[in-house]
Amino acid sequence: MPTRLLELALGEGHPKVKLVHTAQIKGGNITYATLSHCWGNVLPARLLKSLVEEYSLGIPWASLSPTFQDTIIAVLKLNIKYLWIDALCIMQDDTNDWTYEATQMVGIYSNSYLNISADASRDGTEGLFRQRNPNALRCFIVPREKNVVDRYSFVLYTDRWWFSVEHSPLADRAWAVQERYLAPRVLHFADEEVHWECRELFTAECLPVAFNTVPTTEFIVRKSLPHTDLPAPQRTEAIYRIWYQLVSTYVSASLTFASDRPIAIAGLACTFCRLLELPDSAYLCGMWRPRLEHDLMWRKKEFQASSPQNIRVAGLPSWSWLSLCVDIRIWPNWLIGDLNVSRFITAEVVEASTAPCHDAFGPVSSGKVVLRAPLCQVTIRKEDHPFYPHRKDEILVINVNGLLLREKEHFTIRPDDTTDAGMRQILNTPIYLMLGRASKRKVTDYSSEEAVAHPEDLSCIPKTTSAKLSLLDGQDYEILILKETGQFGQFQRVSYLNLESVAYTSSHISTGQVMQPRGYARDLLYKHFAHSKIPDSICGRPDHAGLYTVTLV
């Protein structure tokens, strides 16, 4: 239960509102509502340490924002006596109180009766209610002709859900992702109408009573699926997939403070830990121990430029996607079986742990992952685009023992931090490629295709049939780029790199012409991983399979 609630009552002219401590409320179970809202640039009335006593006697109605006032009116109309609003129930100038209450979000929202969602309001000045024409919301029921055997009718309506809820101002607030998922029921106040969402039903004012449009809204599927009677393996897989979907939604939303990144998803993490029946220690700063080899291979979203906010969050390990305030992707499809693809995890997690600041699901002060994996040393530099030098369109070039691989032609790269400071960690200095995953597709014969010439000669690299080389036998490579920290065997993640046998068709370029450069790059790295020698002073000698032991921090 929340530590504090707002007690609501009807009054003359306007409702009465006061702050109460939950422990002092007599009776058994307390029915209360919650509010999801955008703070915006206009700060709402806030609970401060100096105002606790005053608010316990009564909160001045005029001090409340229109959104807070409208929410109170709506909750009273629903015959709910208590309401929880973050700004008024957490002391905003008390770090200890804020931290404690933030860790209780899973209980606050999941135990509520209803969540009021102010989807259309960018800040507290816009309220819940709108001036509108109710006739514009009416659906039309078109009956079939009487002589038709099947007497079905058609319902014609305008589905506003996508724009009114999924792309509303509130949808861009990262905190709201877990608030919406955890709440058992959500009443969405949009610009044109009110929408209803729960595990069983999705409906709106424009629809007939109990007309359910599931599964047109993916969020309801996410809420209900973990509670269905699926066999254990399918249920576990479904829960992981929902987690990855929610992470994708979360990272595309915004946070005012970068430091909130781990705690604003902590409630979801706690919930999914229980659903997966895992110990708390299995949650590792946004990732799960049973899937850690897979989770480590997250990538920054394509075409996303870094801004001054795209800096690492203090204290969080570089291997965690939570450490960067950027939109990322973790591909759950990689885990799905495909008869045309054989997949290999080439990095083995030996040990993984974090040092939580408060509880297992919130911020951490540090974290490490110890892996055994193929490793090689290269350098990266920038150079003008070979086809468009006049555009000043630079690309990244990997130097592998004097042989060059070029971005876009040979590989795809996603630096974690593309600010000047972030790129300085990668360019013109020894860095390390760690192979995390490899996959092998059905072999296609491109021998009839026109060959693509390469000035570099791979014949100088000897062939091998070592255990390590057979482990790397694949067509698609996913690689993490690492940088030394200065301590023996210890590295930081700085980028994701992919060598994928992409399919491409064009009237001017054949599939084989596009595939061959990627194949050349794969073959070069294939042999470099097998034969390169990392100085013993960096991380020691490899094991009998040629795998190095590295510690990511």
Side-chain angles (χ1 to χ4, degrees):
M1 292 294 293
T3 303
R4 307 174 192 88
L5 287 167
L6 301 177
E7 185 177 280
L8 315 179
L10 297 175
E12 296 183 5
H14 58 73
K16 296 179 180 179
V17 186
K18 68 177 182 179
L19 184 71
V20 295
H21 286 268
T22 309
Q24 297 174 353
I25 300 175
K26 297 179 180 179
N29 295 330
I30 302 171
T31 300
Y32 65 94
T34 54
L35 172 66
S36 290
H37 66 107
C38 292
W39 286 54
N41 296 322
V42 181
L43 289 178
R46 297 179 299 156
L47 177 64
L48 305 176
K49 288 188 288 186
S50 60
L51 294 175
V52 172
E53 185 174 349
E54 177 185 338
Y55 279 13
S56 297
L57 299 175
I59 301 176
W61 183 254
S63 70
L64 299 174
S65 68
T67 296
F68 290 176
Q69 291 179 357
D70 289 352
T71 301
I72 291 166
I73 292 169
V75 169
L76 283 171
K77 288 282 188 180
L78 295 170
N79 294 319
I80 299 175
K81 186 178 179 180
Y82 297 100
L83 172 65
W84 187 89
I85 299 177
D86 52 2
L88 297 175
C89 296
I90 301 175
M91 289 187 282
Q92 301 298 315
D93 60 346
D94 187 327
T95 302
N96 291 333
D97 188 67
W98 187 94
T99 301
Y100 174 77
E101 295 298 326
T103 62
Q104 304 303 307
M105 292 298 174
V106 60
I108 290 173
Y109 281 91
S110 61
N111 291 323
S112 69
Y113 180 78
L114 172 77
N115 183 49
I116 301 292
S117 184
D119 292 84
S121 301
R122 291 172 176 79
D123 57 46
T125 65
E126 298 185 7
L128 292 183
F129 309 132
R130 300 289 188 270
Q131 294 293 328
R132 61 195 182 140
N133 179 6
N135 291 328
L137 302 176
R138 290 182 178 178
C139 63
F140 300 89
I141 300 178
V142 182
R144 297 287 294 271
E145 296 179 5
K146 292 183 179 181
N147 59 352
V148 177
V149 176
D150 296 325
R151 297 291 303 280
Y152 293 112
S153 298
F154 295 96
V155 178
L156 305 181
Y157 70 99
T158 302
D159 187 356
R160 300 176 179 86
W161 174 272
W162 183 252
F163 296 103
S164 298
V165 177
E166 300 294 350
H167 290 274
S168 67
L170 185 61
D172 190 47
R173 183 174 182 257
W175 281 96
V177 176
Q178 70 172 5
E179 294 169 3
R180 178 181 168 190
Y181 185 87
L182 294 174
R185 307 167 190 87
V186 184
L187 199 57
H188 295 275
F189 283 81
D191 267 328
E192 296 177 304
E193 63 180 323
V194 176
H195 300 263
W196 172 266
E197 175 185 0
C198 66
R199 289 176 186 168
E200 299 179 356
L201 179 69
F202 159 68
T203 191
E205 288 183 81
C206 68
L207 296 172
V209 176
F211 185 85
N212 195 355
T213 61
V214 170
T216 58
T217 167
E218 188 177 297
F219 229 100
I220 295 180
V221 178
R222 296 174 186 173
K223 281 188 173 185
S224 61
L225 194 56
H227 303 277
T228 56
D229 295 328
L230 291 172
Q234 289 92 324
R235 181 178 180 274
T236 298
E237 183 61 36
I239 293 170
Y240 276 121
R241 290 182 61 80
I242 295 169
W243 168 260
Y244 295 133
Q245 291 171 355
L246 289 171
V247 166
S248 179
T249 302
Y250 177 74
V251 296
S252 64
S254 303
L255 284 168
T256 303
F257 303 103
S259 58
D260 289 350
R261 193 161 170 84
I263 202 167
I265 200 174
L268 276 180
C270 180
T271 299
F272 275 76
C273 194
R274 304 294 176 261
L275 289 172
L276 291 166
E277 300 179 355
L278 295 173
D280 291 357
S281 58
Y283 178 74
L284 298 163
C285 206
M287 304 180 184
W288 302 102
R289 180 60 182 87
R291 298 288 179 97
L292 191 53
E293 287 90 350
H294 165 72
D295 288 356
L296 287 170
M297 304 310 294
W298 56 269
R299 67 179 80 179
K300 184 178 176 181
K301 186 180 178 182
E302 191 175 8
F303 305 126
Q304 184 182 6
S306 291
S307 69
Q309 273 196 326
N310 297 152
I311 57 175
R312 295 199 180 274
V313 181
L316 299 189
S318 66
W319 46 264
S320 169
W321 56 265
L322 283 170
S323 68
L324 282 176
C325 285
V326 295
D327 194 349
I328 64 99
R329 290 292 179 266
I330 302 177
W331 299 110
N333 289 341
W334 199 91
L335 297 169
I336 299 175
D338 186 339
L339 296 178
N340 294 320
V341 181
S342 299
R343 294 181 167 92
F344 310 95
I345 296 290
T346 55
E348 176 193 356
V349 174
V350 178
E351 177 188 350
S353 63
T354 59
C357 297
H358 306 287
D359 65 23
F361 306 105
V364 302
S365 59
S366 64
K368 70 174 183 178
V369 176
V370 181
L371 303 109
R372 294 173 62 251
L375 197 70
C376 67
Q377 186 184 81
V378 299
T379 57
I380 296 181
R381 70 168 189 260
K382 283 185 177 181
E383 69 173 32
D384 291 336
H385 197 293
F387 303 120
Y388 309 106
H390 58 283
R391 292 185 184 178
K392 297 183 179 179
D393 183 14
E394 294 181 315
I395 61 171
L396 297 179
V397 177
I398 298 178
N399 187 322
V400 183
N401 282 345
L403 304 179
L404 303 181
L405 300 178
R406 292 179 173 84
E407 184 181 3
K408 298 179 183 177
E409 180 184 5
H410 296 117
F411 62 87
T412 302
I413 188 170
R414 300 279 187 274
D416 296 344
D417 183 0
T418 53
T419 61
D420 291 342
M423 293 305 295
R424 281 196 296 270
Q425 298 185 70
I426 300 176
L427 299 175
N428 305 313
T429 185
I431 57 170
Y432 301 86
L433 306 184
M434 187 197 82
L435 183 60
R437 296 193 298 214
S439 57
K440 189 172 185 178
R441 303 176 186 276
K442 280 187 176 180
V443 178
T444 303
D445 183 11
Y446 293 114
S447 58
S448 61
E449 303 284 3
E450 181 182 349
V452 178
H454 292 284
E456 298 89 346
D457 182 14
L458 292 179
S459 62
C460 61
I461 301 177
K463 296 181 179 180
T464 181
T465 56
S466 68
K468 178 179 177 182
L469 191 59
S470 63
L471 179 66
L472 308 181
D473 187 13
Q475 291 179 331
D476 299 346
Y477 287 172
E478 289 185 82
I479 294 168
L480 296 185
I481 300 181
L482 312 179
K483 183 172 178 61
E484 298 174 61
T485 65
Q487 296 189 30
F488 177 79
Q490 193 177 92
F491 301 84
Q492 284 186 327
R493 170 188 159 134
V494 291
S495 184
Y496 168 93
L497 185 143
N498 177 264
L499 278 75
E500 183 179 11
S501 302
V502 292
Y504 177 82
T505 57
S506 169
S507 59
H508 303 291
I509 303 174
S510 67
T511 303
Q513 286 176 302
V514 174
M515 296 281 278
Q516 283 189 0
R518 294 293 174 113
Y520 162 80
R522 182 188 65 248
D523 291 343
L524 174 58
L525 288 181
Y526 173 78
K527 295 173 182 178
H528 193 51
F529 274 121
H531 294 283
S532 67
K533 300 297 182 183
I534 308 296
D536 293 352
S537 59
I538 301 298
C539 57
R541 295 183 178 182
D543 63 13
H544 67 281
L547 305 179
Y548 289 88
T549 299
V550 300
T551 300
L552 301 187
V553 294

